[in-house]
Amino acid sequence: MYPDLTRRLEQLTGTAVRDTQPLGSQHGIGHFRVLLTDGRMVFVKAAGPSMAVSRSAGGLVGRVAGGSGAAGLAAEANGLRWLAEADAIPVPEVLGCADGVLAISWVAQEQPSRGSAEAFGRDLASLHGADPGRLGAPWPGFIAGLPLGNSGGESWPQWYARQRLLPFARRARDASLLDAADVRLVEAVADRLPELAGPAERTSRIHGDCWSGNVLWSGGRGWLIDPAAHGGHRETDLAMLALFGAPSLDRVMAAYQDRAPLADGWRARVPLHQLHPLLVHVCLFGAAYREAMLGAARAALSGRAGRGPARRS
């Protein structure tokens, strides 16, 4: 049914394909469950219009969000390998990535438990403790199909303003999703970031898009998938977990704090770290996220802890 995908996957893995099942699409990337003849189950992402399949009965229907294609899959593969290097938290094994096809090991999912939530908090703290080398990453970044700046340099507050907040605010303005006043509010946050960011911290190795949908529960632990991985601020991952809600988040946070206590005032900084993912969502999904983004910007400026979890589209 997918002869081109089968051919490319067999070249990547060196193993013949026994069966291919489409799982839907997201951001213009087709998702597949593939059984190889050696018995391995593989999760495959494939770029290109012919791969952007859909499931009519309540399944996923992707929207193209910037045409990342093969470059976005390469960034994902780089991120998974880079997170795995820390040997701190489980991630799927990258079996191969080339020519717009990414193959990773299949993760059999289970319901999260109290113990797995606590293990995930400890594992995430260990990941954040691994030296990333620098801010950003040595490959072009993507998040949900949108280009993501990864160059290094300055302090984290300056970096966050220049690489995360301002590019997405201006992208949304240029697409008529935000008006000039909205962008000025984001620019006000960017201007005050040195005072809003809290105590200076060493750069952490972070997932970068750590919402609950990118955490799979298997074998009593939380596995990370779909990273926008880079050297950044550890509070970013934790704020993203809170943005759309995560199972047993209180237990995750308690275990994290036991392993690596957060700096005073971290709760008040949650909206600051949620501002970037909310800007991404404005760019992806439009006005539905505008008010949540503006609320996060105002809360960041005022030092308030912000509202509860938003709803993910």
Side-chain angles (χ1 to χ4, degrees), residues 151-176:
S151 62
E154 61 259 284
S155 67
W156 182 82
Q158 295 170 317
W159 183 90
Y160 187 59
R162 184 173 65 85
Q163 298 284 342
R164 296 295 182 263
L165 298 187
L166 298 179
F168 286 86
R170 291 163 183 169
R171 184 186 188 100
R173 177 200 60 197
D174 293 346
S176 300

Side-chain angles (χ1 to χ4, degrees), residues 291-302:
E291 287 303 319
M293 184 280 295
L294 295 175
R298 295 185 187 106
L301 288 169
S302 67

Side-chain angles (χ1 to χ4, degrees), residues 47-217:
S50 64
M51 301 300 176
V53 298
S54 65
R55 291 165 58 190
S56 58
L60 297 171
V61 179
R63 70 172 70 188
V64 177
S68 65
L73 294 179
E76 182 175 341
N78 284 329
L80 286 171
R81 292 178 177 124
W82 188 71
L83 294 176
E85 287 174 4
D87 195 24
I89 197 166
V91 298
E93 179 186 0
V94 176
L95 304 177
C97 183
D99 301 323
V101 174
L102 169 64
I104 62 177
S105 57
W106 185 267
V107 178
Q109 296 185 62
E110 63 190 20
Q111 290 297 313
S113 65
R114 170 178 176 171
S116 60
E118 292 170 350
F120 178 62
R122 293 189 294 269
D123 288 346
L124 195 60
S126 295
L127 174 68
H128 292 166
D131 183 9
R134 64 171 178 86
L135 286 165
W139 58 82
F142 287 88
I143 185 167
L146 298 177
L148 192 65
N150 262 344
S151 62
E154 61 259 284
S155 67
W156 182 82
Q158 295 170 317
W159 183 90
Y160 187 59
R162 184 173 65 85
Q163 298 284 342
R164 296 295 182 263
L165 298 187
L166 298 179
F168 286 86
R170 291 163 183 169
R171 184 186 188 100
R173 177 200 60 197
D174 293 346
S176 300
L177 299 170
L178 296 178
D179 61 28
D182 298 338
V183 175
R184 284 196 296 272
L185 182 61
V186 177
E187 290 173 339
V189 175
D191 289 342
R192 290 184 54 195
L193 261 165
E195 66 182 271
L196 298 174
E201 290 206 3
R202 63 182 295 276
T203 303
S204 292
R205 189 175 299 227
I206 70 171
H207 177 279
D209 190 15
C210 197
W211 75 289
S212 60
N214 285 341
V215 181
L216 302 183
W217 303 95

